[in-house]
Amino acid sequence: VEVNTKNLVSNTGVVASDTAGVGTARAFFSACSYNYDKGIFSSSTTPSTNFTNLVSNAGVVATDVAGVGTLRTSSGFACEFNNREEGIFAFGAGYVNYTNLVSSAGVVSSDVAAVNSVTARDGGGGLTFGGDKGLLAFGNDGSDVSITNIVSNTGVVQDDAASVATARYSHAGTQYGGDKGILGFGHDGASCDITNLVTNAGVVASDVTG
């Protein structure tokens, strides 16, 4: 059952208690930040919902806004670029090979077909690294893959790059240290208790057991 609750997280990592959410309850969506201190939740097809919701720099979730572009779910591929001023949503269920940029005002652009040698997939994760670039990692295109794609500081998704990490999906990524990242957990036929550090050049390290 989809729930509509939110939990704020303090600058010391403390998760607050449940608070009633705003907008349509849904699952299997993705999110990224924009304009450095704000955020946006994407659309979802559980239920079939092409809405986005902006999040203010005080953690207030805005009401539904009609989405732009292809309605898709199970993406997880979202990250920031251009010094966290802008964001990107990518791929999704049905292995669609589209991206949608998010401007510094939180406006989602129409579909852009991915260029270069880029594998369409779902169930991935994303993060920002190096201050101004992004990384889209792993996922499933009918089988689990261990590939990554760097997102340039202009939002262009680069060619597939093979990784030394375990191929998996339904993992998550986040930033640390200002310019580095980490990819954690996921599923490769069973739940994975592994993490992979990402350098400030976007290089994914080998598995570390949790």
Side-chain angles (χ1 to χ4, degrees):
V1 177
E2 291 74 37
V3 297
N4 196 2
T5 57
K6 69 176 184 179
N7 302 83
L8 298 183
V9 182
S10 76
N11 59 4
T12 60
V14 177
V15 180
S17 54
D18 293 345
T19 302
V22 174
T24 300
R26 57 195 190 267
F28 303 117
F29 55 92
S30 51
C32 66
S33 65
Y34 72 93
N35 196 21
Y36 191 76
D37 64 349
K38 303 173 185 68
I40 182 171
F41 293 111
S42 74
S43 59
S44 165
T45 55
T46 308
S48 183
T49 306
N50 201 0
F51 296 125
T52 59
N53 300 83
L54 299 183
V55 183
S56 77
N57 58 7
V60 177
V61 180
T63 55
D64 295 340
V65 173
V68 174
T70 299
L71 174 62
R72 56 191 188 267
T73 187
S74 297
S75 170
F77 290 105
C79 65
E80 302 77 37
F81 65 92
N82 189 22
N83 299 310
R84 295 174 62 188
E85 282 290 316
E86 300 169 84
I88 185 170
F89 296 122
F91 315 140
Y95 314 130
V96 295
N97 207 1
Y98 296 119
T99 63
N100 300 84
L101 300 185
V102 180
S103 77
S104 59
V107 177
V108 180
S109 73
S110 55
D111 294 342
V112 175
V115 296
N116 306 315
S117 177
V118 177
T119 298
R121 55 203 193 268
D122 61 22
L127 54 87
T128 186
F129 73 90
D132 64 348
K133 301 176 185 66
L135 186 78
L136 307 173
F138 316 151
N140 184 286
D141 68 347
S143 59
D144 298 344
V145 296
S146 184
I147 55 178
T148 63
N149 302 90
I150 288 177
V151 179
S152 76
N153 58 8
T154 59
V156 177
V157 180
Q158 306 297 318
D159 291 347
D160 292 347
S163 139
V164 297
T166 294
R168 60 195 192 271
Y169 67 98
S170 292
H171 55 287
T174 190
Q175 300 71 239
Y176 76 93
D179 62 352
K180 305 173 192 66
I182 185 170
L183 298 161
F185 313 114
H187 198 281
D188 67 347
S191 297
C192 300
D193 188 13
I194 53 178
T195 59
N196 303 88
L197 298 183
V198 180
T199 72
N200 58 9
V203 177
V204 178
S206 53
D207 297 343
V208 174
T209 302

